[in-house]
């Protein structure tokens, strides 16, 4: 209760941060080492203390007040630790003050920094009557105001931290120096202190780090399905393996290190790997996490589903092949009810089955057309009586269809009547114009394939070195043997010469050839009918026939020519390109091949 204090060189402290760090703060000493006391704060602890009787404390406070009253100095009763206050103790403290000439009472909490300044301000007003009277606010009301003020200051401070701190590598000393001039930082530190400001900073940094780790985790998890597809695409390899064995299997794969990295320290998100530049490879220990296990199970399920869908596609194709209801040209809408079941719909979209059905239909139609073409060839006598180059009449088409109508190969194209009629017309055209272009076999035509084969085995005349080289370097010479009895060879030779220039030159696709023709109609064993003479080296042979007898002559002549020249290789028929030509009875020619 002394009113005069003295302590030489006593330092004045303003906050607990100064304790032990006096040199880091501005130092202020008591004036002249002496300090007069102008008033008293009489503190009463209203919390429930261990081994402490509140009534005895209040008795001590009462005795202390009696001493203070003798000084005639102002006194303010301060209830401390109200954040843990007992209601009865608070009531008794207020009753004590009321019985002592209406002492001013201020309810405080130093821990929550509630009404602490109000307690000093109330005492200052009693010392200096010129100051306005302080309004005393009950603890809970003051606490509410204080909480709102702190919450607003905290929001502003957190906004400041989020604006300045963008990386989880930031350190508090550097950041706090940057924030010191900002009012958001100053206000919050004033209300809550530096340690709480630092704590919020550390929480923000930890949040940034977790967000960074989560981004990495999502990146790795996004890569994992690709890695599993690349390393273990076969269901049989992993279907019944435990997770540990599956992990060992992955490590044994040649491309394992392309997709995964094995770390010395684990887990990966608690090591320096979180900041590694290696984002293209997955830490192996990630496979032990629930999210990775779910993706592994999803990979297994995907492979199982793919297998099941493949089985459904295979079963559907087998169903198509065995079903008697699927015929060439039958639309999907008509066939669907006969070939689909619930299992098919469960595993695949209808569009997939339609695509399979379309491909199967194409195979059916192609096979039916091929069979029908064979049928037409078997009934070749139906087409002998038609007029050349004339479209068959309706009556003739009716006769053809009536004859073929009972054949299954005819009925197979029942839903494709237009295409069936087109095949008949095409066959008629082929019968009277049997060429590569009209052949039903198209690219598989024997004539076309023979030409390709001969072209690959024999050099063109221009590439040969022969004795009868033309004078003009731009003209190729072609020596042709034309073999045929009963005037066939001479007639064709005359036809060819009629198409040549006066000097026996012939132009094909802009290229000029000099032709030398040697028609042969007799016994090739006689020198006059030999394929080759001292002045004539043949480059090819046209073999003409229009009957069985003339065809036999051609075959016998070629065999005789080979017998007559066993030791000579160049120019004899065994080495010559041979073209077999059917001479139409109406005067036209049809190409053939040997």
């Amino acid at each position: 209760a002394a009113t005069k204090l003295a302590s030489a060189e006593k330092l004045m402290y303003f906050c607990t941060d100064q304790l032990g760090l006096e040199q880091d703060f501005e130092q202020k000493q008591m004036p002249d080492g002496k300090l007069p006391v102008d008033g008293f704060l009489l503190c009463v602890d209203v919390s429930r203390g261990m081994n402490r009787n509140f009534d005895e404390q209040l008795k001590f406070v009462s005795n202390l007040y009696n001493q203070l009253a003798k000084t005639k100095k102002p006194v303010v009763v301060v209830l401390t630790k109200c954040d843990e206050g007992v209601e009865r103790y608070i009531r008794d403290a207020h009753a004590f003050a009321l019985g002592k000439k209406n002492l001013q009472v201020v309810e405080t909490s130093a821990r929550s920094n509630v009404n602490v300044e109000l307690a000093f301000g109330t005492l200052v007003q009693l010392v200096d009557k010129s100051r306005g009277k302080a309004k005393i606010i009950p603890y809970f009301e003051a606490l509410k105001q204080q909480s709102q003020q702190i919450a607003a200051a905290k929001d502003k401070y957190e906004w400041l931290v989020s604006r300045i701190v963008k990386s989880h590598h930031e350190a508090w000393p550097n950041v706090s120096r940057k924030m010191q001039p900002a009012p958001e930082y100053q206000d919050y530190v004033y209300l809550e202190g530096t340690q709480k400001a630092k704590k919020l900073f550390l929480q923000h940094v930890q949040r940034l780090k977790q967000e960074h780790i989560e981004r990495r985790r999502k990146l790795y998890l996004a890569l994992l399905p690709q890695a599993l597809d690349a390393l273990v695409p076969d269901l049989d390899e992993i279907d019944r393996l435990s997770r540990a064995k599956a992990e060992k299997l992955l490590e044994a794969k040649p491309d394992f290190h392309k997709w995964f990295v094995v770390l010395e320290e684990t887990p990966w998100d608690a090591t320096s790997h979180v900041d590694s530049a290696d984002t293209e490879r997955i830490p192996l220990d990630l496979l032990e996490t629930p999210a990775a296990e779910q993706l592994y199970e999803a990979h297994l399920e995907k492979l199982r589903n793919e297998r099941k869908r493949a089985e459904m596609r295979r079963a559907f194709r087998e169903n198509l092949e065995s079903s008697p209801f699927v015929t060439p040209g039958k639309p999907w809408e008509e066939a669907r009810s006969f070939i689909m079941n619930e299992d098919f719909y469960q595993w695949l979209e209808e569009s997939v089955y339609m695509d399979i059905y379309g491909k199967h239909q194409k195979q059916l139609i192609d096979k039916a057309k091929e069979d029908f073409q064979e049928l037409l060839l078997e009934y070749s006598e139906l087409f002998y009586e038609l007029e050349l180059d004339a479209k068959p009449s309706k009556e003739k088409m009716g006769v053809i269809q009536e004859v073929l109508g009972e054949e299954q190969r005819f009925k197979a194209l029942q839903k494709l009547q237009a295409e069936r009629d087109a095949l008949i017309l095409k066959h008629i055209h082929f019968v009277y114009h049997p060429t590569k272009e009209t052949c039903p076999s198209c690219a598989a035509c024997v004539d076309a394939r023979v030409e390709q084969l001969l072209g690959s085995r024999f050099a063109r005349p221009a590439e040969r070195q022969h004795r009868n080289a033309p004078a003009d370097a731009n003209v190729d010479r072609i020596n042709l043997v034309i073999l045929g009895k009963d005037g066939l060879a001479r007639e064709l030779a005359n036809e060819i010469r009629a198409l040549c220039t006066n000097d026996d030159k012939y132009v094909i696709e802009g290229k000029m050839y000099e032709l030398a023709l040697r028609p042969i109609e007799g016994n090739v064993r006689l020198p006059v009918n030999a394929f080759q003479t001292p002045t004539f080296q043949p480059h090819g042979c046209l073999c003409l026939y229009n009957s069985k007898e003339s065809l036999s002559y051609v075959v016998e002549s070629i065999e005789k020519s080979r017998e007559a020249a066993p030791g000579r290789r160049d120019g004899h028929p065994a080495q010559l390109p041979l073209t077999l030509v059917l001479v139409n009875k109406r005067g036209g020619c049809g190409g053939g091949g040997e």
Side-chain angles (χ1 to χ4, degrees):
T3 57
K4 291 184 180 180
L5 303 177
S7 179
E9 299 181 357
K10 180 67 176 177
L11 284 176
M12 298 170 66
Y13 291 94
F14 292 89
C15 67
T16 56
D17 286 351
Q18 290 177 252
L19 297 177
L21 300 171
E22 290 84 358
Q23 301 303 319
D24 294 343
F25 293 84
E26 181 183 359
Q27 296 183 12
K28 291 187 178 181
Q29 294 181 341
M30 290 185 183
D32 301 324
K34 297 178 181 181
L35 185 70
V37 175
D38 297 310
F40 295 93
L41 295 178
L42 182 55
C43 297
V44 182
D45 187 341
V46 293
S47 66
R48 192 184 304 276
M50 293 293 293
N51 302 321
R52 185 181 68 200
N53 187 292
F54 180 76
D55 294 333
E56 291 182 359
Q57 180 195 186
L58 197 58
K59 183 178 178 181
F60 169 79
V61 169
S62 180
N63 293 332
L64 181 57
Y65 172 75
N66 293 333
Q67 297 297 321
L68 297 178
K70 295 176 183 179
T71 66
K72 306 297 182 179
K73 301 290 185 180
V75 177
V76 173
V77 176
V78 178
L79 307 187
T80 66
K81 301 185 181 177
C82 285
D83 54 311
E84 298 178 358
V86 178
E87 187 174 352
R88 184 179 74 82
Y89 298 170
I90 295 174
R91 281 200 312 269
D92 290 349
H94 276 281
F96 161 76
L98 189 62
K100 301 297 182 182
K101 298 181 181 180
N102 293 322
L103 281 174
Q104 298 266 26
V105 179
V106 180
E107 299 174 355
T108 69
S109 169
R111 174 186 290 173
S112 302
N113 192 23
V114 175
N115 281 348
V116 175
E117 287 196 15
L118 178 62
F120 284 94
T122 301
L123 180 60
V124 169
Q125 189 273 330
L126 293 175
V127 173
D128 184 359
K129 298 294 184 180
S130 64
R131 292 176 177 269
K133 187 175 181 180
K135 180 183 178 182
I136 297 178
I137 304 173
Y139 171 76
F140 286 107
E141 183 179 342
L143 176 64
K144 181 179 179 181
Q145 294 178 1
Q146 176 80 349
S147 298
Q148 292 173 346
Q149 187 179 7
I150 289 174
K154 181 182 177 184
D155 288 343
K156 293 179 180 179
Y157 172 68
E158 287 179 332
W159 169 84
L160 177 67
V161 172
S162 65
R163 185 171 63 86
I164 292 179
V165 182
K166 300 295 186 182
S167 168
H168 61 277
H169 297 295
E170 294 281 8
W172 170 248
N174 182 46
V175 173
S176 61
R177 281 194 298 269
K178 291 181 182 178
M179 295 191 298
Q180 277 178 358
E184 295 85 359
Y185 174 81
Q186 296 172 358
D187 291 346
Y188 186 73
V189 169
Y190 174 75
L191 291 171
E192 290 284 75
T194 306
Q195 289 305 313
K196 285 196 174 182
K198 181 179 180 180
K199 183 179 179 180
L200 286 179
F201 160 80
L202 293 176
Q203 290 175 353
H204 176 72
V205 167
Q206 183 63 22
R207 188 161 52 250
L208 289 179
K209 184 174 181 179
Q210 290 304 316
E211 290 173 355
H212 171 73
I213 291 173
E214 193 57 32
R215 285 194 296 271
R216 278 288 182 100
R217 191 190 320 278
K218 289 181 178 179
L219 179 63
Y220 292 143
L221 291 175
L223 285 173
L224 184 55
Q226 302 175 40
L228 295 175
D229 285 340
L231 297 177
V232 282
D234 185 2
L235 178 63
D236 293 332
E237 195 174 21
I238 58 173
D239 195 14
R240 302 186 183 279
L241 291 184
S242 65
R243 185 186 57 78
K245 290 183 177 179
E247 191 173 309
K248 292 295 183 185
L249 177 65
L250 286 173
E251 292 185 61
K253 295 292 182 177
D255 288 341
F256 170 76
H257 290 288
K258 175 183 175 182
W259 293 97
F260 290 93
V261 57
V262 181
L263 302 177
E264 294 182 1
E265 298 180 5
T266 57
W268 71 273
D269 53 1
T271 69
S272 59
H273 186 76
V274 297
D275 296 315
S276 169
D278 188 358
T279 60
E280 300 298 325
R281 295 191 297 164
I282 305 165
L284 185 61
D285 63 283
L286 181 75
L287 293 179
E288 300 173 6
T289 63
E293 290 180 358
Q294 289 179 4
L295 288 176
Y296 178 74
E297 290 300 323
H299 176 69
L300 279 175
E301 190 64 20
K302 183 186 76 168
L303 294 180
R304 292 180 185 128
N305 289 340
E306 286 177 352
R307 172 173 289 181
K308 186 63 178 179
R309 286 192 290 269
E311 291 173 356
M312 286 295 104
R313 284 192 288 267
R314 183 166 56 253
F316 182 69
R317 280 192 290 266
E318 292 173 354
N319 205 12
L320 290 179
E321 293 168 359
S322 62
S323 173
F325 302 105
V326 180
T327 56
K330 177 169 285 191
W332 165 254
E333 291 74 14
E334 295 182 20
R336 175 172 50 192
S337 59
F338 296 106
I339 55 179
M340 292 295 286
N341 58 45
E342 292 184 2
D343 286 344
F344 289 151
Y345 283 114
Q346 180 181 353
W347 287 98
L348 292 170
E349 297 291 333
E350 184 171 349
S351 58
V352 177
Y353 295 115
M354 290 175 65
D355 181 63
I356 297 173
Y357 183 79
K359 293 177 180 177
H360 180 71
Q361 269 294 326
K362 185 178 184 307
Q363 293 174 352
L364 283 180
I365 292 171
D366 290 346
K367 182 65 168 61
K369 287 181 177 180
E370 184 179 336
D371 292 344
F372 184 66
Q373 186 63 53
E374 287 295 319
L375 177 65
L376 294 177
L377 291 171
E378 292 173 14
Y379 281 84
S380 57
E381 68 275 4
L382 280 174
F383 308 98
Y384 287 166
E385 304 301 326
L386 296 176
E387 293 293 328
L388 183 61
D389 295 331
K391 185 176 180 180
S393 63
K394 290 184 178 180
E395 292 76 12
K396 183 60 179 178
M397 286 294 287
V399 171
I400 293 173
Q401 292 180 0
E402 182 179 356
V403 173
L404 301 179
E406 296 303 317
E407 289 281 352
Q408 184 58 39
R409 288 172 287 181
F410 181 87
K411 295 177 180 178
L413 292 172
Q414 186 65 34
K415 289 186 174 294
L416 300 167
Q417 294 184 21
E419 295 187 36
R420 186 174 63 190
D421 291 345
L423 287 173
I424 292 174
L425 294 175
K426 184 176 180 181
H427 179 72
I428 292 172
H429 186 59
F430 169 68
V431 169
Y432 290 96
H433 300 278
T435 65
K436 301 189 301 294
E437 291 73 19
T438 60
C439 179
S441 299
C442 301
C445 175
V446 173
D447 280 10
R449 299 182 67 175
V450 167
E451 284 188 7
Q452 295 171 4
L453 179 63
L454 294 176
S456 66
R457 295 184 61 183
F458 297 101
R460 289 168 56 90
E463 298 168 354
R464 298 179 182 177
Q465 299 296 327
H466 52 78
R467 293 176 296 177
N468 300 324
D472 187 350
N474 295 322
V475 178
D476 283 332
R477 181 182 179 88
I478 300 179
N479 297 334
L480 292 180
V481 170
I482 303 178
L483 180 65
K485 67 180 298 187
D486 298 333
L488 291 178
R490 289 194 307 275
E491 289 178 13
L492 181 59
N494 292 335
E495 291 289 339
I496 294 175
R497 290 191 181 102
L499 298 174
C500 295
T501 60
N502 294 333
D503 53 357
D504 290 337
K505 288 185 172 60
Y506 188 78
V507 178
I508 300 178
E509 297 178 353
K511 177 69 176 178
M512 182 173 290
Y513 299 88
E514 182 178 345
L515 291 179
L517 305 178
R518 182 174 175 79
I520 300 175
E521 297 187 348
N523 188 348
V524 296
R525 286 180 175 171
L526 299 176
V528 69
N529 293 324
F531 276 58
Q532 181 175 310
T533 69
T535 60
F536 186 89
Q537 299 291 331
H539 300 134
C541 179
L542 297 176
C543 304
L544 312 181
Y545 74 99
N546 61 358
S547 63
K548 288 184 179 180
E549 292 77 10
S550 57
L551 179 60
S552 298
Y553 165 75
V554 168
V555 174
E556 292 172 0
S557 297
I558 292 174
E559 290 177 350
K560 290 177 181 178
S561 178
R562 288 173 176 169
E563 293 171 0
R568 296 186 346 228
R569 299 190 58 83
D570 295 335
H572 72 76
Q575 299 295 323
L576 283 180
L578 303 177
T579 299
L580 189 61
V581 181
L582 170 62
V583 180
N584 192 284
K585 64 182 178 179
R586 294 176 175 82
C589 292
E594 181 182 79

